[in-house]
Amino acid sequence: MFPARIPTGAPAALMILALSGCSSLWSCTDTTAERGEAGVGVRVEDASGRSLGVTAEVVDWRLEPHPQVPSEGDHVYFRYRFDGVGESSGPAVDACAVDEERVALGCHVIFSSQAFRRGGALTGDSWLAVEHPERVAGVLLIPNDQSYDGRTCEEDIKDGGGPHPPEPAAMGDRL
């Protein structure tokens, strides 16, 4: 028996394929982070669970009619602050109105980039529409950075994969 003959350029061609990312077809993996502990004030963390050196805090909240749709009754109005955000793009976190048992009544993402710099912090305000505003006991933030959720393997097997933030919080989630 004689060994199979390997064409002269085969090792180089395989190396080029590996370096070009074609080998990622067999190794693309997605990981979804666990949802962090919600709170009035949180340390924002990336999809790997590492602190970004940024804190986010609900400064205050109240129920009142939204000025653009007063006929809809009370909405949750809240003010928030991000500390430690650099000059470039910053993080985003889920904000949720919750009842006494920390069940989400309504949520949406707030972006530090939509806040205004005052002193060293970024401050902003937002509204949450909830079905039963009388049940609102507070507004909590979830520490997981939602500002970037790269492509998944399913969407792009060559360039996708890696860590992703958890699914955004939704009505009915216990925080």
Side-chain angles (χ1 to χ4, degrees):
M1 299 217 49
F2 296 103
R5 190 162 181 197
I6 299 174
T8 308
L14 290 174
M15 180 61 77
I16 290 169
L17 286 174
L19 292 175
S20 70
C22 291
S23 64
S24 67
L25 294 173
W26 297 283
S27 66
C28 187
T29 57
D30 288 310
T31 56
T32 301
E34 293 291 321
R35 184 177 290 159
E37 181 71 25
V40 173
V42 296
R43 290 188 172 281
V44 182
E45 55 192 45
D46 67 14
S48 300
R50 292 186 303 261
S51 173
L52 298 177
V54 173
T55 58
E57 177 183 10
V58 174
V59 177
D60 67 8
W61 70 274
R62 64 182 173 269
L63 295 174
E64 64 183 49
H66 191 290
Q68 294 177 337
V69 285
S71 62
E72 290 182 3
D74 283 342
H75 285 86
V76 180
Y77 171 77
F78 67 99
R79 292 185 318 117
Y80 58 88
R81 180 174 76 210
F82 285 91
D83 286 304
V85 177
E87 295 298 321
S88 61
S89 65
V93 294
D94 284 324
C96 298
V98 297
D99 66 13
E100 288 184 9
E101 296 174 1
R102 295 175 61 118
V103 173
L105 303 172
C107 300
H108 73 250
V109 178
I110 56 171
F111 292 84
S112 61
S113 61
Q114 294 174 328
F116 299 98
R117 191 163 298 278
R118 291 190 178 97
L122 293 171
T123 60
D125 59 359
S126 190
W127 294 86
L128 286 164
V130 296
E131 191 172 327
H132 297 285
E134 71 280 0
R135 292 179 41 206
V136 176
V139 177
L140 300 179
L141 302 178
I142 300 173
N144 308 98
D145 180 18
Q146 295 285 338
S147 64
Y148 176 74
D149 186 14
R151 310 217 17 106
T152 64
C153 293
E154 186 175 289
E155 295 168 331
D156 187 347
I157 198 160
K158 180 177 175 279
D159 297 322
H164 301 282
E167 288 294 318
M171 188 169 62
D173 288 354
R174 184 176 296 278
L175 306 177

